[in-house]
Amino acid sequence: MSVNPLSAPIVDIRDLHVRFSGERTVNALNGVDIALAQGEVLGLLGESGSGKSVTLKALLRLLPPRRTTITGSMHVAGQDVLSMDDEALENYRGGVVSMIFQEPMLALDPVYSIGDQIAEGVVRHKGVSWAQGRARALEMLEGVRIPSARRRLDAYPHEMSGGMLQRAMIALALSCSPKVLLADEPTTALDATVQIQILLLLRELQREMGMAVIFVTHDIGVAIEISDRVAVMYGGRIVETGKLRDVVKNPQHPYTRGLLASTIHGAKRGVRLETIPGAPPRLDRLPPGCSFAPRCGLADAACSQGEILAVPLGPQRNVRCIKLATNIAVPVGV
Amino acid sequence: MSEADVLRQEVLAPVADVGGPQQPLLAVRGLSKHFAVGGGLFGRGGVVRAVDDVNFSVDKGEVLGIVGESGCGKSTTARLIIGLIAPDKGEITLDGEPVGPALTLRELRRRVQMVFQDSYASLNPRLTIEETIAFGPKVHGIAPAVARARAHELLRKVGLDPSLFADRYPHELSGGQRQRINIARALALAPRLVILDEAVSALDKSVEAQVLNLLLDLKEELGLTYVFISHDLNVVRFISDRVIVMYLGEVVESGPVEALWTDARHPYTRALLAAMPSLDADHRTQEAPISGDPPNPIDPPSGCRFHTRCAFAEPVCSAEAPRLMPTGNERHAAACHMVDPASGHSRAPVASPEIQHAI
């Protein structure tokens, strides 16, 4: 995949492979390319085991180094992520790239107050005084619309509801003004009426702060609410990417089409749903060629041979499928 | 017919219908369950009114959806129906038969079964798939060979080849396959009512659709009745005939699925529907329908429990709890002062003679 030549991307991931070794060898990522522009929101859409969370963790170098083999390249804001030493990583995590997680209760420290947790990061990254750190914490809690923020500074995680905790985690993640925010299903564990509030808040903060966001989700509705561009992952690869509208209204990859057709949104009551047969592949036994081929109605022998390359369909629009009508005459594997 | 055949017919066929199609299969009246929390070492305790005076019925062959956010009491309701916990108050009737001392747990399990959200936690990791499914029938006195044959028959019904799956263990299966096993196990004693508590919520989208199709097929084939509990309104709309909406332990609205979607009367139902992510990239959601989180179910708000988050709240809402009132649509009721002409709420309909008569 080529990088958008118009502006230097803030996140530039090329041919990223991640392999976990141990009892079994798991090929979690198998050639992922992502180029994210400053201020852009990329929705990373996929099912469990498709590699979306691993991509985020690799980008923060959070994967266990002993068992993980990473090849390819990752650059964020011009820095080479894979060559960073421990000290560089400390400055990078939270300062340049920050992450919010699905379960705020597990991500926040239960024995420190919310205000102290935010202040600690600000003091460490910005070199300011503790009082200034606490002031920044208050500013952030107000920024994420936590009611009576001053009082909440001294609250502990167990004293807050799920929605408030998720707001506090967003405040923590954004307190050092990172250039890139990674969001790993941050609304999945929330109630419906709270989920939409958090999505709207993230959208607003993203616009205000102008940061780039990679938002991982399995929910197409959530991806539509938040993304400028989406990348659909399957078997550790991005199988389709493009502007949100193009992908949702005109999906090209058989997996994307199946996924959109099988969502229950607006399905007619009692009428059988269109489904994709089978289940997502196991990453320790990925089929050769296209990993979707065993479930694909269009697949033939060619689909299971060699690497399936991404076919460009337009600017920032790629589909990794050799069965595309537009691609029939073009030789593949070049 | 040998004795074993008689037993087989008795246990592996559904319990005979009693009241005919008009009598609801399940009727729940005044059901309440309160849990004491806290107390002990760390000071004062409280009471979670998990389910508070809940009434509903499920017709034979119907799918009743129960929706609501965490803490609304939907799972507690399920556990009460199937007898995993005992109610504090209220009665549950199955085809006219009161659930209680007269109906033993063993007999209850022949009539009602449940499928849980966590497909892995609800299977015994030390039993093979075949043993898991055959376990219930064996407990009910079916010969092991017959129970095994039953397990194989059910595996085929849920779309899994017995020759491939019968001898496997739960950890060898995918989430979707495990949930099929849980469904097969729930059907092993030929129940009439199956409670599905977030049964598809943990599945991947492409697998969720497969399992929903399976549930529709099985309902058709076996004449089942479902209580389908979910936080996902899209799924509930797809599978349900009628829906009840719960909020902090109470039913706030109930009605046929289309009436609820097109003519919701309770502000909470409307907020839930409006909170669903938009699927149109050109028309994203611009404003959250309600702010804040659901309140703590310990010491819920007075009067209408939703009044703390409701845009239309008036003094009457915090003073008096609204009752479920008919909305005028068939089988559609809402517990909101704005529906009740006599409530004194400024948005309440003007009382017309017919409506008053109907009440």
Side-chain angles (χ1 to χ4, degrees), chain B residues 4 15 26 128 141 145 157 166 211 224 261 264 284 288 293 320 338:
Chain B
V15 175
L26 172 72
T128 64
K157 267 202 171 56
V211 174
L224 297 169
W261 254 257
R284 290 178 173 183
D293 295 49
E320 237 176 280
M338 292 191 288

Side-chain angles (χ1 to χ4, degrees), chain A:
Chain A
M1 192 172 95
S2 68
V3 171
N4 176 17
L6 299 176
S7 61
I10 185 90
V11 176
D12 190 0
I13 300 178
R14 294 189 197 200
D15 199 28
L16 186 68
H17 290 251
V18 171
R19 197 174 69 227
F20 300 117
S21 42
E23 231 171 90
R24 325 174 271 141
T25 301
V26 174
N27 296 298
L29 294 185
N30 305 291
V32 167
D33 301 276
I34 293 175
L36 188 66
Q38 180 76 53
E40 191 181 24
V41 182
L42 175 72
L44 213 49
L45 191 62
E47 299 182 295
S48 52
S50 62
K52 48 198 198 312
S53 293
V54 174
T55 305
L56 295 196
K57 286 185 180 149
L59 204 47
L60 265 184
R61 292 264 310 270
L62 289 175
L63 299 168
R66 279 169 183 231
R67 295 195 291 113
T68 314
T69 317
I70 304 179
T71 60
S73 75
M74 289 190 287
H75 289 82
V76 175
Q79 291 174 272
D80 182 354
V81 179
L82 284 177
S83 69
M84 284 180 188
D85 57 17
D86 286 353
E87 200 192 329
L89 270 179
E90 272 183 29
N91 291 323
Y92 167 74
R93 292 176 184 151
V96 180
V97 177
S98 186
M99 183 149 164
I100 54 178
F101 300 86
Q102 183 171 341
E103 290 283 354
M105 203 53 163
L106 300 178
L108 291 165
D109 193 321
V111 300
Y112 293 98
S113 71
I114 298 294
D116 285 357
Q117 291 188 50
I118 300 177
E120 186 190 358
V122 177
V123 169
R124 168 66 185 75
H125 280 288
K126 302 283 178 194
V128 297
S129 70
W130 185 253
Q132 284 168 309
R134 290 270 299 184
R136 174 69 175 161
L138 177 61
E139 191 187 333
M140 288 311 298
L141 290 189
E142 282 168 348
V144 297
R145 324 269 184 279
I146 287 184
S148 33
R150 193 172 291 281
R151 199 163 50 79
R152 293 293 189 182
L153 270 184
D154 296 315
Y156 290 88
H158 74 270
E159 298 176 292
M160 295 168 83
S161 64
M164 284 305 140
L165 272 185
Q166 199 57 282
R167 286 171 194 267
M169 188 158 67
I170 293 169
L172 173 65
L174 301 184
S175 58
C176 298
S177 316
K179 292 190 168 71
V180 180
L181 177 69
L182 308 179
D184 192 0
E185 306 246 15
T187 63
T188 304
L190 301 175
D191 280 320
T193 59
V194 180
Q195 163 169 286
I196 194 73
Q197 297 174 38
I198 299 294
L199 286 175
L200 292 173
L201 174 72
L202 277 173
R203 228 157 70 185
E204 199 181 317
L205 293 171
Q206 185 272 330
R207 259 196 307 257
E208 267 172 32
M209 304 177 72
M211 64 199 164
V213 178
I214 303 182
F215 193 104
V216 158
T217 180
H218 69 277
D219 187 325
I220 293 166
V222 168
I224 290 175
E225 286 286 3
I226 196 96
S227 321
D228 300 323
R229 196 151 61 86
V230 285
V232 181
M233 291 196 77
Y234 191 84
R237 295 187 184 93
I238 293 176
V239 295
E240 177 157 6
T241 180
K243 289 237 180 315
L244 173 70
R245 273 183 196 79
D246 295 342
V247 174
V248 173
K249 295 192 171 165
N250 192 18
Q252 293 297 318
H253 196 283
Y255 173 66
T256 319
R257 287 189 198 172
L259 201 60
L260 285 165
S262 68
T263 46
I264 336 288
H265 296 285
K268 262 193 102 169
R269 188 157 64 92
V271 178
R272 289 178 63 88
L273 297 159
E274 271 185 57
T275 60
I276 306 173
R282 288 183 55 161
L283 294 170
D284 56 343
R285 289 184 216 151
L286 272 185
C290 172
S291 33
F292 185 63
R295 302 174 75 187
C296 181
L298 301 176
D300 60 20
C303 294
S304 302
Q305 281 159 16
E307 196 191 345
I308 309 295
L309 298 176
V311 182
L313 296 179
Q316 297 195 322
R317 183 97 173 90
N318 284 291
V319 180
R320 206 179 276 267
C321 177
I322 57 170
K323 287 287 163 193
L324 287 178
T326 48
N327 189 41
I328 281 169
V330 182
V332 284
V334 181

Side-chain angles (χ1 to χ4, degrees), chain B residues 222-295:
Chain B
L222 305 172
L224 297 169
T225 301
Y226 293 150
V227 171
F228 192 94
I229 297 171
S230 179
H231 68 282
D232 186 333
L233 293 170
N234 289 304
V235 175
V236 167
R237 182 184 196 180
F238 170 73
I239 201 156
S240 308
D241 299 307
R242 278 191 312 128
V243 174
I244 64 178
V245 183
M246 293 186 70
Y247 187 75
L248 290 180
E250 295 179 332
V251 176
V252 296
E253 186 156 6
S254 73
V257 78
E258 284 317 313
L260 238 65
W261 254 257
T262 55
D263 191 21
R265 297 299 177 87
H266 199 286
Y268 177 63
T269 313
R270 282 189 235 152
L272 263 188
L273 291 169
M276 287 197 290
S278 156
L279 274 173
D280 184 347
D282 296 325
H283 300 94
R284 290 178 173 183
T285 307
Q286 293 307 323
E287 216 179 313
I290 43 176
S291 59
D293 295 49

